[in-house]
Amino acid sequence: MTTLSEQNKAIALRFGKEAWGNVPGWDRVWEELVAEDFVWYFCGSPEPIRGSKACQEFYAGLYRGFPDIQLLTVEHAIAEGDKVAFRT
C-alpha cells in the first residue's frame, strides 16, 4: 500500500512529465489532474493566472508561439502529506 505522500508525488511527477511541452495529449492530462481553481504564478506574468482553463489557454498559446519548447526535466521531488514540490 502506498502512502498519501507517495500517491501525491506520483501525480505531481506525472503532471511534470505529461502535462507540459509538446507532449501529445498534454491538454487531456492537464484536465484530468488540475483543479478548476488552480492559480499559476508565472514569472513572465505580472498577475497570477487564475483557473485551470485560463492556465491551459495560456500554455496552449505558449506552445504555439514556441513549438520547439523543451519538456521539463524533473530533477528532484519531495512530498509530505498533501504537499508536493518538484524542481525542474
Side-chain angles (χ1 to χ4, degrees), residues 1-13:
M1 181 183 292
T2 59
T3 67
L4 177 63
S5 294
E6 292 168 331
Q7 291 170 2
N8 288 335
K9 185 176 178 180
I11 291 168
L13 290 175

Side-chain angles (χ1 to χ4, degrees), residues 1 13 17 23 25 28 32 34 36 44-45 59 75 78 86:
M1 181 183 292
L13 290 175
K17 292 176 183 176
V23 177
R28 288 188 303 278
E32 177 186 342
V34 177
E36 288 192 26
S45 178
Y59 277 99
E75 299 289 335
I78 57 172
F86 59 85

